[in-house]
Amino acid sequence: MTAEESVSASVDFYFDFSSPYGYIASHKIDALAAQYGRAVTWRPFLLGVAFKATGQTPLPQVPIKGDYARHDLQRSARFHGIPYRHPSRFPIATVAPARAFYWLNATEPARAKALARALYAAYFTADVDISSAENTVAVAAQAGFGADAARAGINDQAVKDLTRVEVEKALAIGVFGSPYIVVDGEPFWGQDRLDQVERWLATGGF
Amino acid sequence: MTAEESVSASVDFYFDFSSPYGYIASHKIDALAAQYGRAVTWRPFLLGVAFKATGQTPLPQVPIKGDYARHDLQRSARFHGIPYRHPSRFPIATVAPARAFYWLNATEPARAKALARALYAAYFTADVDISSAENTVAVAAQAGFGADAARAGINDQAVKDLTRVEVEKALAIGVFGSPYIVVDGEPFWGQDRLDQVERWLATGGF
């Protein structure tokens, strides 16, 4: 890669729609990258599939650590000044919102990001269970994307296939948690690595 | 607790001698707390015992995530400007250094901290396997504590009992990882929560 290509390469932002720390990072990553002239490619994946591959247990089910995590993720949202209401159902399967994202992303990545933000806000501030395809469609409709188009998009076999391929690609490069941010091949796991992401962007590595 | 007692209460710093992130935090926690007029009580515990209690797997053994962790902990040390050489044997059992610490701590907590820093430096910069009682004794001797006294301390039944009690107390309050920092009853897991620890100290909570 030449220096010029490196400067313009986008930052990859992998996240799961059920991940509170992914939600926190989604509020910060684009502005952070923009400071260094970089765009961000959003890449929702399915944490449940990644957990099976690595033999991990969802945080809420880990004794003691799960209780801490429930406390920490709400405190972390307050720390960063981001609205947060812990969902009644947590975690949830997120194939419906992932498909909704990839439905739009193929043609309009900027609108796909707007939809992703609306879905995250619905789940983490308004307690909407977006594991339901109809709830995901309703969020898309409320955000101006059209219920019928969104429903058709989620059910489109090509969108389903694209989503599966994207999840497989994420697993193939070793994405095991959310958020997972890749800058010029360097991986960073967790919203608490945004300080290192920033220095990597500023310095080209350390 | 009155406001005055609260101001003077020490910060609890739980760590395992085999924990790279505990090692990183050990370089920062006292100076951080001192900015807010607070002392730090160091409380080594045994992560292996905590992992059994919570059903966790040591990081290096977790597929994919373990490889990331090996990379991240060295990058995190560089990020914080802390010398780090990944030990040949990792992780290790740390009952010997924990006993050496509690041997001194009962009477001279400041010297116990100095010994803890020497043990951490031996393991994480000079590749000394401090799981060996004799290596721990050698580190203590080199740091000026006297080999015979250190050896006798580690083997003292009262010190062994005290160490076991301290580990049990840590588990009883829910310490599941290293570092684990408690400020006025509020728990923070990970060196990457020092930003939140600092704001908690500055503001009294958020």
Side-chain angles (χ1 to χ4, degrees), chain A residues 21 53-56 59 62-65 68-69 71-72 75-81 171 174-176 180 186-193 195-196 199-200 206, chain B residues 21 53-56 59 62-65 68-69 71-72 75-81 171 174-176 180 186-193 195-196 199-200 206:
Chain A
Y21 300 115
T54 55
Q56 293 179 81
L59 259 185
V62 179
I64 304 169
K65 192 175 177 178
Y68 171 83
H71 181 75
D72 178 71
R75 184 181 61 204
S76 292
R78 292 196 303 276
F79 180 73
H80 291 289
L171 290 186
V175 176
F176 61 84
Y180 190 96
E186 183 74 10
F188 300 88
W189 168 49
Q191 59 82 21
D192 39 31
R193 287 294 176 277
D195 52 358
Q196 295 193 25
R199 193 185 297 172
W200 204 273
F206 52 84
Chain B
Y21 300 115
T54 55
Q56 292 180 82
L59 259 184
V62 179
I64 305 169
K65 190 175 177 177
Y68 171 83
H71 181 76
D72 178 70
R75 184 182 62 204
S76 294
R78 293 197 302 277
F79 180 73
H80 291 289
L171 291 186
V175 176
F176 62 85
Y180 190 98
E186 183 74 9
F188 299 88
W189 168 49
Q191 59 82 22
D192 39 31
R193 286 295 176 278
D195 52 357
Q196 295 193 25
R199 193 185 296 173
W200 204 273
F206 53 84

Side-chain angles (χ1 to χ4, degrees), chain A residues 62 74 109 115 159 178 201-202:
Chain A
V62 179
Q74 296 179 70
L115 175 59
V159 170
S178 168
L201 286 167

Side-chain angles (χ1 to χ4, degrees), chain A residues 88-102:
Chain A
S88 309
R89 279 193 65 204
F90 173 79
I92 54 170
T94 52
V95 68
R99 284 175 179 165
F101 176 89
Y102 284 114

